[in-house]
Amino acid sequence: MSKIAISVRNLTKIYKLYDRPIDRLKETLSITKKKYHREHYALRDISFDVKEGESVGIIGTNGSGKSTILKIITGVLNQTSGELEVKGKISARSEERFSRNAETDIV
């Protein structure tokens, strides 16, 4: 029976996008809690497990969330919601020697 090294459950990452830099300040200082941002889902309800000893490749089109999921798993970013459990050391590689083109990235 293999042990789970990485467990991702219903992981979501939302970025707040503002049309103008001042809108962030307006939103922060708003007494009425008016929203000046729109939400962009970089990841929405992603779930998977990685067992000990497995190697994983993440393949997808530009803007599909490959770097975002790696940053969350390695602790560089925090998720908006969902559960993440990482046991042990994580080695993430994003090297230019991998195949790349305008439609698809391989990380």
Side-chain angles (χ1 to χ4, degrees):
M1 178 184 236
S2 297
K3 293 182 181 178
I4 303 291
I6 302 171
S7 179
V8 175
R9 293 286 169 260
N10 300 36
L11 198 75
T12 297
K13 177 64 178 175
I14 302 172
Y15 288 102
K16 293 180 181 179
L17 302 180
Y18 297 88
D19 290 331
R20 300 175 301 158
I22 192 70
D23 290 343
R24 182 184 307 267
L25 180 62
K26 286 172 157 180
E27 186 174 285
T28 302
L29 299 176
S30 174
I31 295 170
T32 61
K33 303 295 181 194
K34 181 177 178 184
K35 294 186 180 188
Y36 289 86
H37 71 272
R38 60 189 187 285
E39 294 181 342
H40 172 74
Y41 282 80
L43 301 170
R44 188 181 303 203
D45 293 325
I46 303 296
S47 296
F48 62 89
D49 291 326
V50 179
K51 296 177 184 174
E52 281 185 359
E54 286 184 329
S55 295
V56 176
I58 301 174
I59 301 171
T61 58
N62 293 336
S64 62
K66 300 175 300 294
S67 294
T68 302
I69 191 69
L70 288 174
K71 287 176 183 177
I72 290 172
I73 290 171
T74 57
V76 174
L77 281 178
N78 291 321
Q79 70 266 28
T80 304
S81 65
E83 298 176 19
L84 170 67
E85 185 176 359
V86 178
K87 297 177 183 175
K89 181 182 171 188
I90 302 298
S91 175
R93 299 177 116 184
S94 178
E95 299 176 6
E96 291 299 319
R97 67 185 172 98
F98 291 116
S99 173
R100 290 186 170 247
N101 65 42
E103 297 298 317
T104 306
D105 284 344
I106 299 176
V107 179

